[in-house]
């Protein structure tokens, strides 16, 4: 499960292995950075390259991206939306399911409180993944929180979505086996 | 010159040939559409596929994308920013220079008035490209207006930008050109 906390200056990227009811494991965490001195095209290309590299190396089975709201600083939010779009389309291009979760959902998943502060989120991510060192900067911890959020919420939701897609879309017959 | 009026539901795509002081020529115009019933990943992938197809077929030498401001409907604007990001990164991936122009700049370029309405923009695009039929819908005309705007503004600006890049960035020695 790849979590992406989108941003142009710092884009958090974290991969977590696990399933509801089983221990979580940190697979990878990093921050893709681009320079504010570069133009938007160069920056978005940098974000794409960073995310592509992680997807190429770790082949995650799904991607969770933070859902962006336009409530804060307009300039920042546009960059976040653009970086998020790059992450979403990079995942979709590989046929990976993409889920969006709000920051509140991610915070609530790992701390129990949708309004938890960054320190609390980082502390819980560190604890849940049994890390010796807290992931830094906050964007890295946020990406891991998103991934954890989706591991815990995603299982049931993914099955519902898949069922809904099967119900409304024409599908081609598949070779995959039956589940008892 | 490819102009893109980004959007999830309708993304205008127009290609214009020309240079400042020479007649303009319409090369291509179309609208990439995605369904509001689809999820954001599917929609952004559809926008990307549509723009990629046009770039593949016509090999434009530069891309102008409408600059998005977050002043209007927040939900629409986020989708516009995301579709714009997909267009920007698709162009950058091919090494094409990307320019952003505001709607006012595009309107002013083709009508002389940055606050011109859609009918006026469409009329002037039709006239400047000597078309028998006005491009529809408005997104198509807007994409062409952006392309025209950049043909007219872009020449000098592109040379300035290239000079600035040469001035500030370390470059590797190249084989091109003569040495006096």
């Amino acid at each position: 499960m790849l979590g992406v906390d989108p941003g142009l200056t710092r884009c958090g990227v974290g991969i977590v292995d696990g399933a509801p009811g089983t221990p979580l494991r940190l697979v990878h965490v990093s921050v893709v950075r681009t320079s504010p001195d570069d133009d938007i095209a160069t920056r978005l290309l940098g974000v794409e390259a960073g995310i592509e590299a992680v997807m190429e190396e770790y082949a995650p089975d799904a991607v969770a991206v933070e859902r962006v709201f336009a409530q804060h600083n307009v300039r920042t939010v546009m960059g976040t939306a653009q970086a998020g779009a790059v992450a979403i389309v990079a995942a979709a291009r590989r046929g990976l399911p993409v889920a969006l979760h709000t920051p509140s959902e991610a915070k609530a998943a790992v701390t129990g409180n949708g309004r938890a502060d960054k320190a609390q989120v980082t502390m819980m991510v560190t604890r849940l993944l049994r890390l010796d060192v807290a992931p830094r900067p906050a964007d890295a911890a946020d990406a891991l929180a998103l991934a954890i959020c989706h591991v815990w919420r995603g299982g049931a939701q993914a099955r519902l979505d898949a069922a809904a897609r099967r119900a409304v879309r024409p599908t081609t017959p598949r070779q995959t086996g039956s589940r008892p």
Side-chain angles (χ1 to χ4, degrees), chain A residues 94-176:
Chain A
R94 288 172 183 253
L96 299 177
V98 179
L100 303 182
H101 297 297
T102 64
S104 300
E105 287 167 348
K107 288 175 185 176
V110 298
T111 74
N113 173 8
R115 294 179 173 195
D117 65 15
K118 288 187 180 298
Q120 199 180 343
V121 169
T122 297
M123 190 181 74
M124 283 308 298
V125 165
T126 307
R127 183 174 297 169
L128 290 165
L129 295 173
R130 289 155 291 131
L131 306 178
D132 296 327
V133 180
R136 304 267 181 231
D139 315 79
D142 286 347
L144 291 170
L146 265 167
I148 295 169
C149 170
H150 193 59
V151 164
W152 285 347
R153 295 173 60 116
Q157 193 58 49
R159 283 190 293 277
L160 285 171
D161 291 349
R165 275 199 298 274
R166 278 196 300 274
V168 299
R169 290 198 186 167
T171 53
T172 51
R174 284 189 291 178
Q175 297 296 328
T176 50

Side-chain angles (χ1 to χ4, degrees), chain A residues 65-87:
Chain A
V65 181
E66 187 178 295
R67 188 187 292 277
V68 180
F69 290 105
Q71 62 215 9
H72 303 300
N73 181 315
V74 163
R75 214 185 150 81
T76 308
V77 161
M78 299 308 279
T80 308
Q82 290 172 312
V86 166

